[in-house]
Amino acid sequence: MIETILTRDLGTPPPAVITDYITLQIDGQRVTVPAGTSVMRAAALADINIPKLCATDSLEPFGSCRLCLVEIDARRGYPASCTTPAEEGMVVRTQSPKLQQLRKGVMELYISDHPLDCLTCPANGNCELQDMAGVTGLREVRYGYEGENHLKLKKDESNPYFTFDSSKCIVCNRCVRACEETQGTFALTISGRGFESRVSAGQNEAFMESECVSCGACVEACPTATLTEKSVIWLGQAEHSVTTTCAYCGVGCSLNAEMKGNEVVRMVPAKDGKANEGHACVKGRFAWGYATHKDRITKPMIRAKITDPWREVSWDEALDYAASEFRRIQAKHGRDAIGGIVSSRCTNEEGYLVQKLVRAAFGNNNVDTCARVCHSPTGYGLKQTLGESAGTQSFKSIEHTDVVLVIGANPTDGHPVFGSRMKRRLRQGARLIVIDPRRIDLIKSPHVRADYHLQLRPGTNVAVLSALAHVIVTEGLLAEEFIAERCEDRAFLQWRDFVAQPANSPEETESVTGVPAAQLRAAARLYATGGNAAIYYGLGVTEHAQGSTAVMAIANLAMATGNVGREGVGVNPLRGQNNVQGSCDIGSFPHELPGYRHVSDSTVRGLFEQAWGVTLQDEPGLRIPNMFEAALDGSFMGLYCQGEDIVQSDPNTQHVTAALSAMECIVVQDIFLNETAKYAHVLLPGSSFLEKDGTFTNAERRISRVRKVMPPRAGLADWEVTMALSNRLGYPMNYTHPSEIMDEIARLTPTFTGVSYKRLDELGSIQWPCNDAAPEGTPTMHVDTFVRGKGRFIITQYVATSEKVTRKYPLILTTGRILSQYNVGAQTRRTENVQWHAEDRLEIHPHDAQERGIRDDDWVGIQSRAGETVLRALVTERMQPGVVYTTFHFPESGANVITTENSDWATNCPEYKVTAVQVMPVQQPSEWQREYQRFNTAQLELADPAAAVAEVRA
């Protein structure tokens, strides 16, 4: 276990740019610091601590508390050290009788309007006000409490995760500044003047009624007990801290799990976390209670049929039964009749073992991952054009970006910590282009406004991207020198001639895309000429019939304008789940071994055969959709599914459940009885990220350590379960720690050669490739040359989806996520996050709602060619007429009952973003929902009759 060394707060941030150094004298000590460093920070770097309350190195200096006063030779008065820049030759004194008197007087005023309940205060032991009272030598308060004070102000307990006790507020402004500078929400303000100045959410609203997004930045910034986590109030201050990595989205925030024994007291974002730099969101900061939720599966269970009751058994019996069933199926139906699914929520090491189990113990290549249904087009498209199946930059790179192009992504909801970083850059002056059918928050929010919102029709990404390229080519905006030096000449010329065709002009495509030609032309010019331009994209690009084509079109745009290979530019896929990048890296696709090397390559295959001691198949195995089809055909009869809920997350739910019902043995390994587990025959308890060691790889290729802070509730971590199953199948695995698995990955995968737990502990994290050429990793890809050598332009002909609107299905449904919930909701639905989003809603434009007689909160039926479900309506102008939108976080919503089996031509990534539907008012649930309720109740009863009764009553 690695104990976190809390980073000392130096009072003010470092200079943004270091151009020179200066030397000054502080308390007789010579100190050399970068020009632009504050006196306070210069002193702290010399281990001279100046008292402070309003200052912290995560925020810009403010200078309000007056505790950090110093004396400076040849300067009148007592300047605040936090707002005073250090100068060459400056002579500073931080201690003197007069300074002591001034500071003590300031502290006396603070304490005169502050409760003296330190012994019972939740911040006792972790309170800066308490510390400063000691530092300044405050021993008495002369002013008493007889006059005006704020001691009887009521607490705001509305937020489920933290309390706001205004009686303890010293109005230092740190929380307000954190909300502005770190989060960019501007939800907090100082109301009133003088003595009546108080911090308030919104216009003196409760936190839950304000624009607060519960990121926790204000709680972290507060130097008193004004803003305190309710978990700290209940449990007390933590005893020790362990640094780990968040298990939610692809940002991969570094968090300090502050512990009492094996119990988490709170999660605090790590200041030195490279992906998040001391920030977090409501999920990572607060929504970790699912790990100890009463619904956790902690005992292995088996049953012969899904209509049988579950029977709790020992680990040995469960694993023996699973292995015997897999052997029986292969003996009956052939070696290729079983397969596995790798989880993007589990660690790299666990995913690696699952794909190794399938290839070495099952003896086939029938392994796939949830990236199939999200970012598989990213892997294909970027590999074809740039040569590597991953994004090109680090998150920090956006600090150098002049033009941000966001397409098919909603960073403030899906990747909120990076969304805050993006908004910070936009507030500094970067320009913004958003390509999205829906009006996302980035288009207009406090101090951020998009220059252009290209509100396209769903399914027309490729046409819009080709039109942007048309403008760049025909108006002479190409980066000719970059292209000549870095890209394949013949491929470029063919692409240039293609996009220059009149059919690709904004004027010709306007009738298809719905984007006004003038607006598109202006956006293209801004992207090509506005300086460093970076593209950020998400599932709104990949989850289409032309997902791979769109990714290649994005890469074409970046190459055509020379926006690859340096800070502030690039092609940046925003990966959805915490380890979806890692699950792809470690060989979870049926056609690729770790490191994206094809199974048909005999040299690569030979390397793994020698290391693993088996003969490997040279043909790709089944993708997830192929597994379903083969199950219905009777040729795929067994599945090992670790940590994925394919019933809720994959398209056309009824098709998925029919395929699972046709299988003879499904082994699910998960922490909850999820929707897929209800079709399983063996249920193996999984372990949460708090119960395991390993690594995650985020969207910027950053490999970060996951560290165990509590023992696995079921006794085994996921990697140990996979290893035990493999041993029972006759293929020995004998690792003693996940570090040994990473060592094997590094030995066999060129991009991971330099990765080890020791190196990760030294550096904090590593962005692959990490090898002899880049021993500390690679923040920016394709700097001097593309991984494939020369960049390859690819023609991206727009082909309309086969999913058409008709008189029967006149609207287009598209899907996405919301800030407070995560993916299929298995984790977040078991936390207080349901207070923000307790159900999936259907967003519909007022015109479409009025046409159908639909009002806000009405129940509406959504019918597609695949099925029908019922949701409540949210009438909103976020939508454009003709387009509706929903999330998929709640299984009873049946969002994927109505999505079709249309998929990307290259990768089979489902076309979640384009489903033709009709929407009408209804009075009762759909037939599917009624059947789901019956099946769900029956399955809960088969697992735990008492719990099923409680669920029904709830």
Side-chain angles (χ1 to χ4, degrees):
M1 180 181 292
I2 302 295
E3 294 290 331
T4 300
I5 299 172
L6 297 179
T7 306
R8 196 158 57 94
D9 192 321
L10 301 179
T12 63
V17 179
I18 297 175
T19 56
D20 198 6
Y21 286 83
I22 56 100
T23 299
L24 69 161
Q25 188 181 104
I26 305 177
D27 292 345
Q29 182 176 336
R30 285 173 58 83
V31 183
T32 300
V33 294
T37 302
S38 71
V39 169
M40 176 180 282
R41 187 179 179 91
L45 290 169
D47 289 328
I48 300 169
N49 295 316
I50 300 173
K52 59 183 172 60
L53 276 174
C54 73
T56 175
D57 59 13
S58 61
L59 301 171
E60 292 301 314
F62 192 62
S64 71
C65 76
R66 314 312 293 170
L67 268 188
C68 70
L69 307 179
V70 293
E71 296 174 345
I72 301 176
D73 281 3
R75 188 168 299 193
R76 294 177 61 186
Y78 302 92
S81 61
C82 64
T83 55
T84 303
E87 297 176 4
E88 179 67 37
M90 182 180 273
V91 177
V92 179
R93 285 178 297 281
T94 71
Q95 302 294 333
S96 73
K98 183 61 178 177
L99 289 173
Q100 181 72 2
Q101 180 188 10
L102 289 170
R103 290 169 182 163
K104 189 179 292 188
V106 168
M107 280 304 305
E108 189 175 4
L109 289 171
Y110 278 125
I111 299 303
S112 72
D113 192 19
H114 195 85
L116 296 179
D117 59 351
C118 289
L119 290 180
T120 57
C121 177
N124 187 19
N126 187 25
C127 174
E128 293 179 48
L129 186 69
Q130 194 179 61
D131 294 342
M132 290 305 104
V135 166
T136 58
L138 184 66
R139 296 294 177 262
E140 63 177 341
V141 178
R142 293 167 291 170
Y143 307 116
Y145 294 134
E146 293 80 14
E148 289 281 332
N149 60 58
H150 302 94
L151 301 181
K152 296 187 183 302
L153 292 177
K154 288 185 178 179
K155 293 181 183 179
D156 178 358
E157 301 278 10
S158 63
N159 190 286
Y161 293 121
F162 59 82
T163 185
F164 174 63
D165 185 352
S166 188
S167 72
K168 296 187 175 182
C169 179
I170 61 172
V171 200
C172 65
N173 218 277
R174 268 164 59 164
C175 59
V176 178
R177 290 148 57 208
C179 189
E180 295 175 0
E181 296 176 26
T182 305
Q183 170 57 30
T185 297
F186 297 84
L188 301 182
T189 188
I190 302 291
S191 62
R193 288 188 170 191
F195 182 75
E196 293 305 323
S197 297
R198 308 309 292 166
V199 170
S200 68
Q203 298 299 311
N204 289 310
E205 300 167 291
F207 268 79
M208 283 297 279
E209 294 170 5
S210 73
E211 294 180 352
C212 170
V213 294
S214 297
C215 68
C218 60
V219 181
E220 184 61 19
C222 182
T224 70
T226 306
L227 286 156
T228 307
E229 296 96 331
K230 291 181 176 179
S231 57
V232 172
I233 294 173
W234 177 250
L235 295 170
Q237 294 295 329
E239 299 166 345
H240 67 282
S241 176
V242 182
T243 301
T244 189
T245 303
C246 182
Y248 280 116
C249 77
V251 174
C253 293
S254 182
L255 300 172
N256 294 329
E258 296 195 353
M259 310 289 298
K260 292 185 81 170
N262 291 331
E263 186 168 22
V264 178
V265 174
R266 64 176 186 163
M267 285 285 189
V268 179
K271 284 174 62 174
D272 56 353
K274 300 296 192 300
N276 58 315
E277 295 186 332
H279 193 31
C281 78
V282 62
K283 295 189 289 290
R285 184 73 156 84
F286 297 117
W288 37 265
Y290 69 88
T292 53
H293 195 273
K294 62 181 177 59
D295 289 351
R296 280 289 301 271
I297 301 297
T298 58
K299 300 285 187 183
M301 298 191 289
I302 63 175
R303 59 183 176 179
K305 303 189 298 295
I306 68 167
T307 53
D308 292 344
W310 284 105
R311 183 166 61 89
E312 285 189 2
V313 296
S314 67
W315 275 109
D316 284 340
E317 185 174 351
L319 291 164
D320 286 342
Y321 180 76
S324 66
E325 281 294 281
F326 284 151
R327 283 196 298 266
R328 178 188 64 78
I329 290 170
Q330 286 188 305
K332 179 180 176 183
H333 299 283
R335 181 175 61 171
D336 296 331
I338 62 175
I341 294 179
V342 172
S343 175
S344 292
R345 286 194 282 279
C346 290
T347 65
N348 287 314
E349 294 77 6
E350 288 161 349
Y352 176 83
L353 287 198
V354 172
Q355 65 87 33
K356 183 177 180 180
L357 169 86
V358 172
R359 300 188 201 279
F362 289 4
N364 60 50
N365 287 321
N366 294 336
V367 63
D368 210 349
T369 181
C370 86
R372 176 66 54 210
V373 300
C374 61
H375 268 285
S376 52
T378 286
Y380 181 86
L382 295 186
K383 187 81 169 179
Q384 294 298 310
T385 50
L386 309 181
E388 193 59 271
S389 301
T392 62
Q393 313 293 128
S394 66
F395 290 141
K396 195 173 179 63
S397 170
I398 200 169
E399 295 176 4
H400 304 278
T401 300
D402 303 305
V403 178
V404 178
L405 193 161
V406 177
I407 174 169
N410 186 2
T412 55
D413 274 17
H415 304 82
V417 170
F418 176 69
S420 293
R421 193 191 285 262
M422 179 182 284
K423 286 195 294 183
R424 187 158 58 245
R425 179 60 190 145
L426 293 170
R427 293 197 303 273
Q428 292 168 352
R431 310 282 295 278
L432 174 63
I433 302 165
V434 174
I435 306 176
D436 201 289
R438 184 169 170 260
R439 200 175 71 208
I440 62 174
D441 286 342
L442 271 180
I443 289 163
K444 187 180 180 182
S445 60
H447 305 286
V448 170
R449 181 171 295 200
D451 293 83
Y452 301 101
H453 176 204
L454 309 186
Q455 195 168 20
L456 77 172
R457 295 192 182 107
T460 62
N461 286 333
V462 172
V464 167
L465 291 164
S466 293
L468 290 170
H470 174 91
V471 176
I472 290 166
V473 166
T474 58
E475 294 190 5
L477 306 179
L478 289 164
E480 302 277 5
E481 188 176 328
F482 178 92
I483 295 166
E485 180 184 343
R486 300 283 304 272
C487 302
E488 290 183 4
D489 185 57
R490 183 179 176 188
F492 164 69
L493 295 174
Q494 291 173 338
W495 172 83
R496 184 193 64 186
D497 293 345
F498 161 73
V499 295
Q501 293 172 7
N504 289 316
S505 70
E507 290 73 19
E508 288 297 314
T509 58
E510 182 174 334
S511 61
V512 173
T513 66
V515 178
Q519 196 179 36
L520 196 147
R521 282 188 176 275
R525 292 168 189 145
L526 175 59
Y527 174 76
T529 65
N532 286 342
I535 300 176
Y536 294 89
Y537 72 89
L539 304 185
V541 165
T542 57
E543 291 178 344
H544 286 274
Q546 282 199 287
S548 292
T549 311
V551 172
M552 293 187 288
I554 287 170
N556 289 341
L557 272 183
M559 290 188 292
T561 54
N563 281 307
V564 186
R566 64 181 185 278
E567 286 281 275
V569 300
V571 176
N572 305 279
L574 295 176
R575 302 280 188 162
Q577 296 192 56
N578 56 300
N579 201 37
V580 71
Q581 179 69 59
S583 72
C584 301
D585 298 341
I586 51 79
S588 62
F589 286 131
H591 66 294
E592 288 175 334
L593 290 159
Y596 303 99
R597 291 166 292 170
H598 205 278
V599 295
S600 64
D601 186 322
S602 58
T603 303
V604 172
R605 205 170 58 253
L607 178 71
F608 284 90
E609 287 177 337
Q610 182 178 7
W612 293 352
V614 294
T615 300
L616 300 176
Q617 283 189 338
D618 59 359
E619 290 292 331
L622 298 175
R623 298 171 174 178
I624 291 174
N626 305 136
M627 292 180 189
F628 297 154
E629 294 300 330
L632 292 170
D633 289 343
S635 59
F636 186 82
M637 293 287 103
L639 179 66
Y640 175 46
C641 182
Q642 183 191 78
E644 288 297 332
D645 193 356
I646 52 179
V647 168
Q648 190 178 339
S649 64
D650 284 34
N652 196 343
T653 301
Q654 294 174 94
H655 179 73
V656 175
T657 56
L660 295 184
S661 298
M663 295 185 197
E664 294 179 6
C665 182
I666 296 172
V667 178
V668 167
Q669 186 174 335
D670 213 292
I671 62 176
F672 298 116
L673 182 71
N674 62 22
E675 302 308 302
T676 304
K678 292 167 187 173
Y679 290 85
H681 306 90
V682 180
L683 184 51
L684 304 175
S687 51
S688 74
F689 80 112
L690 296 171
E691 301 158 51
K692 62 178 72 172
D693 286 295
T695 57
F696 293 150
T697 306
N698 74 351
E700 52 174 358
R701 296 171 282 103
R702 185 179 301 282
I703 306 166
S704 300
R705 285 278 280 113
V706 180
R707 295 185 177 92
K708 183 166 68 174
V709 303
M710 61 176 68
R713 290 173 71 81
L716 295 175
D718 290 327
W719 65 274
E720 294 174 298
V721 176
T722 304
M723 189 170 70
L725 178 59
S726 183
N727 290 335
R728 281 166 171 79
L729 286 165
Y731 181 77
M733 292 187 188
N734 298 298
Y735 308 98
T736 60
H737 190 270
S739 62
E740 297 172 4
I741 306 172
M742 177 53 74
D743 291 343
E744 182 175 315
I745 295 171
R747 284 196 302 273
L748 297 172
T749 312
T751 50
F752 279 57
T753 300
V755 179
S756 67
Y757 281 26
K758 182 175 183 240
R759 198 76 176 117
L760 286 167
D761 289 340
E762 290 170 353
L763 298 176
S765 61
I766 295 172
Q767 288 174 268
W768 67 258
C770 177
N771 45 36
D772 291 342
E776 295 191 1
T778 311
T780 304
M781 294 278 284
H782 316 294
V783 172
D784 298 314
T785 184
F786 289 102
V787 170
R788 68 183 308 277
K790 295 273 191 177
R792 180 186 175 202
F793 284 86
I794 295 179
I795 290 174
T796 53
Q797 179 71 53
Y798 169 66
V799 178
T801 173
S802 60
E803 182 71 0
K804 310 289 186 186
V805 294
T806 62
R807 289 180 64 186
K808 186 175 181 181
Y809 304 112
L811 303 173
I812 288 291
L813 169 74
T814 188
T815 63
R817 294 174 178 172
I818 199 164
L819 171 63
S820 60
Q821 295 291 336
Y822 172 71
N823 209 45
V824 297
Q827 295 150 280
T828 43
R829 280 187 282 109
R830 291 175 171 90
T831 70
E832 293 298 330
N833 281 30
V834 293
Q835 292 197 31
W836 285 276
H837 189 76
E839 62 180 345
D840 294 316
R841 293 281 196 110
L842 184 80
E843 295 186 14
I844 184 169
H845 188 272
H847 172 77
D848 294 325
Q850 185 179 17
E851 240 184 17
R852 291 161 175 78
I854 295 170
R855 294 169 299 181
D856 230 17
D857 289 341
D858 281 356
W859 290 103
V860 293
I862 309 105
Q863 186 178 43
S864 74
R865 295 178 176 93
E868 183 177 4
T869 194
V870 171
L871 300 172
R872 281 205 291 170
L874 176 61
V875 180
T876 172
E877 291 191 350
R878 277 180 175 268
M879 306 311 301
Q880 59 177 291
V883 180
V884 293
Y885 169 90
T886 191
T887 50
F888 54 92
H889 305 303
F890 293 80
E892 62 272 17
S893 299
N896 282 322
V897 171
I898 48 181
T899 52
T900 69
E901 292 180 74
N902 286 356
S903 65
D904 173 50
W905 61 272
T907 65
N908 282 131
C909 183
E911 192 174 40
Y912 292 112
K913 305 305 183 190
V914 185
T915 303
V917 298
Q918 178 59 286
V919 178
M920 296 298 288
V922 297
Q923 299 297 322
Q924 59 186 3
S926 69
E927 183 180 338
W928 177 85
Q929 284 169 315
R930 289 194 294 271
E931 171 56 24
Y932 169 81
Q933 189 60 48
R934 183 206 64 76
F935 178 76
N936 181 57
T937 301
Q939 287 300 316
L940 290 174
E941 190 169 291
L942 292 171
D944 185 345
V949 171
E951 176 89 4
V952 170
R953 286 176 179 166

